[in-house]
């Protein structure tokens, strides 16, 4: 993707921000992002940023996706979170069988996927593929998607787990149950998805434990698996923090040290994430595999960005100054505290692993 194309998408997204900002309170009250907003983001090219190029993708840099998502989240955190997850679910699919890509985007380049990677599904081998049953919770954007990307355990005749697999399932094979009632992020529609005995052809199920190293993969899709998924849970928090800090008006005679510190923390996290992503992409473009030091540093900075964003929102809540809208503060507070419960923001787990590595201990944890 050329820089001109990237700027075109970002400019188109930015043109939507005033409208998205104005609708944020209505999204919170109604508990849904308007389908027209999703359609306008399609028109802007946002959902094509991480899509496979052979099927309408733009070949964007990860930073283009992260910047657009952060700015969307600053306008409305529900919209940014929803859009960010619907977009990131297209990432990594070029490592799949090309028949999968044809199934998903062959007739409609605007197809969106929802996802859940908790292995709460059960796959049983049958002729030509598998029989899948299960329930997946908190599938953000399930009502806007027409495919599900989910995790499941393949079980043997004795019921014992044999493999950890990813499966792709069309909307005709699953039901969406409206269960999302979050304190915040009310518009993301993170509903449950239920499947009862759907047939999954073998080419739409993939082992995460026995990945074929001979598959040709684009540099973007060679990033370490958790990279963009964990950032999808953090970038909206940074956007919300920037919105809260921008709303904090200066007032004469009040010490603003904590607000200045909060601004610096958020700016630091944005720069750290940008640096880490640039180094990761440089490595995979050269055909390399990012080492543990870089992967853990990126994960550490990502999870600390979540903490700093929440801290910045807290700083404004403790000293809101004059003129800030109470409804805005309350909504961002609820959104942020709902977002930080996502598995990507498990700061204690991540720092424990990063700390063990820093002192030379062995680490082999999958730190989601």
């Amino acid at each position: 993707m050329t820089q001109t194309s990237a700027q075109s998408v970002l400019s188109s997204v930015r043109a939507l921000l005033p409208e998205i900002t104005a609708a944020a309170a209505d999204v919170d009250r109604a508990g849904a992002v308007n389908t027209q907003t999703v359609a306008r983001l399609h028109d802007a090219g946002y959902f094509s940023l991480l899509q496979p190029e052979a099927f309408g993708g733009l070949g964007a840099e990860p930073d283009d996706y992260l910047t657009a998502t952060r700015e969307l989240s600053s306008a409305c955190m529900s919209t940014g979170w929803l859009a960010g997850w619907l977009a990131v679910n297209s990432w990594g699919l070029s490592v799949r069988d090309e028949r999968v890509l044809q199934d998903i985007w062959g007739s409609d380049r605007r197809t969106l996927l929802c996802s859940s990677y908790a292995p709460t599904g059960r796959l049983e081998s049958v002729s030509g593929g598998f029989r899948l049953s299960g329930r997946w919770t908190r599938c953000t954007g399930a009502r806007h998607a027409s495919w599900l990307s989910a995790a499941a355990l393949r079980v043997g005749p004795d019921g014992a787990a044999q493999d950890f697999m990813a499966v792709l399932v069309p909307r005709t094979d699953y039901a969406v149950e409206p269960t999302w009632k979050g304190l915040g992020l009310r518009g993301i529609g993170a509903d449950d998805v239920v499947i009862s005995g759907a047939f999954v052809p073998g080419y739409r199920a993939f082992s995460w434990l026995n990945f074929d190293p001979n598959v040709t993969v684009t540099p973007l899709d060679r990033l370490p698996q958790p990279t963009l998924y964990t950032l999808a849970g953090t970038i909206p928090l940074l956007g919300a923090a920037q919105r809260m800090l921008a709303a904090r008006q200066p007032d004469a005679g009040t010490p603003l040290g904590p607000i200045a510190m909060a601004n610096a923390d958020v700016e630091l996290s944005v720069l750290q994430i940008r640096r880490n992503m640039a180094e990761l992409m440089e490595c995979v473009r050269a055909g390399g595999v990012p080492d543990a030091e870089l992967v853990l540093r990126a994960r550490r900075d990502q999870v600390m960005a979540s903490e700093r964003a929440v801290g910045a929102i807290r700083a404004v809540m403790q000293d809101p100054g004059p003129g800030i809208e109470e409804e805005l503060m309350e909504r961002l507070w609820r959104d942020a505290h709902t977002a930080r419960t996502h598995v990507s923001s498990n700061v204690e787990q991540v720092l424990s692993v990063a700390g063990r590595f820093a002192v030379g201990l062995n680490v082999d944890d999958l730190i989601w």
Side-chain angles (χ1 to χ4, degrees):
M1 185 181 189
T2 65
Q3 188 61 28
T4 301
S5 299
Q7 287 304 313
S8 176
V9 172
L10 288 173
S11 294
S12 297
V13 168
R14 286 166 178 159
L16 298 174
L17 296 182
E19 175 186 336
I20 292 171
T21 300
D26 290 337
V27 167
D28 188 65
R29 284 189 287 268
V33 174
N34 195 297
T35 56
Q36 292 182 350
T37 300
V38 175
R40 290 189 180 103
L41 288 170
H42 267 300
D43 294 339
Y46 172 79
F47 292 115
S48 300
L49 290 171
L50 300 180
Q51 201 166 314
E53 289 185 73
F55 290 85
L58 299 176
E61 291 294 307
D63 188 61
D64 299 325
Y65 157 74
L66 297 173
T67 299
T69 304
R70 178 166 45 82
E71 295 189 17
L72 283 170
S73 302
S74 182
C76 171
M77 194 172 174
S78 278
T79 301
W81 184 278
L82 170 73
W85 280 101
L86 288 174
V88 81
N89 289 332
S90 298
W91 172 60
L93 290 182
S94 72
V95 306
R96 314 303 193 196
D97 190 301
E98 189 169 347
R99 289 172 291 178
V100 173
L101 308 185
Q102 189 66 43
D103 286 351
I104 296 172
W105 289 295
S107 60
D108 184 3
R109 298 291 174 90
R110 292 164 72 108
T111 295
L112 297 173
L113 299 92
C114 61
S115 68
S116 176
Y117 295 109
T120 52
R122 177 186 176 96
L123 281 168
E124 298 176 340
S125 297
V126 296
S127 177
F130 303 93
R131 192 69 62 190
L132 175 65
S133 296
R135 174 185 290 269
W136 293 264
T137 62
R138 299 188 177 186
C139 298
T140 294
R143 283 171 276 179
H144 296 277
S146 49
W147 279 77
L148 168 71
S149 179
L153 296 177
R154 179 168 62 86
V155 299
D158 60 354
Q162 296 181 331
D163 202 353
F164 178 36
M165 305 192 74
V167 291
L168 291 149
V169 186
R171 180 66 178 83
T172 51
D173 289 344
Y174 62 85
V176 177
E177 294 189 0
T179 55
W180 178 244
K181 296 179 181 178
L183 175 67
L185 297 178
R186 290 179 175 173
I188 66 173
D191 296 324
D192 288 7
V193 169
V194 181
I195 297 177
S196 300
F199 174 70
V200 179
Y203 70 87
R204 280 205 250 119
F206 309 89
S207 172
W208 266 332
L209 302 180
N210 300 290
F211 182 73
D212 185 353
N214 298 314
V215 173
T216 301
V217 182
T218 66
L220 179 64
D221 289 332
R222 292 182 62 244
L223 288 171
Q225 191 64 35
T227 306
L228 287 181
Y229 290 122
T230 53
L231 284 170
T234 292
I235 290 298
L237 278 164
L238 289 172
Q242 289 178 324
R243 175 72 183 282
M244 188 76 124
L245 289 164
R248 171 60 168 89
Q249 300 296 319
D251 53 321
T254 301
L256 294 178
I259 303 300
M261 181 66 75
N263 264 304
D265 282 346
V266 171
E267 290 178 11
L268 172 64
S269 286
V270 171
L271 292 173
Q272 285 179 325
I273 289 169
R274 186 165 285 155
R275 175 202 62 185
N276 294 336
M277 188 56 65
E279 291 186 22
L280 286 164
M281 287 301 297
E282 181 181 8
C283 177
V284 296
R285 280 201 184 93
V289 177
D291 61 19
E293 182 177 4
L294 176 54
V295 171
L296 284 170
R297 186 226 295 165
R299 186 70 166 97
R300 178 203 67 192
D301 292 346
Q302 169 266 316
V303 80
M304 285 304 300
S306 296
E307 288 293 291
R308 290 173 182 145
V310 173
I313 291 171
R314 184 186 303 114
V316 177
M317 291 288 290
Q318 292 172 345
D319 181 16
I324 192 169
E325 296 178 28
E326 290 188 7
E327 182 182 8
L328 173 65
M329 282 200 303
E330 184 259 347
R331 184 174 69 249
L332 290 174
W333 179 257
R334 287 189 287 104
D335 287 347
H337 280 272
T338 301
R340 76 181 308 194
T341 65
H342 191 268
V343 65
S344 64
S345 294
N346 190 334
V347 64
E348 291 184 8
Q349 179 193 28
V350 174
L351 294 187
S352 173
V353 174
R356 295 205 309 272
F357 179 81
V359 297
L361 298 178
N362 182 55
V363 293
D364 54 8
D365 308 54
L366 178 62
I367 49 172
W368 277 88

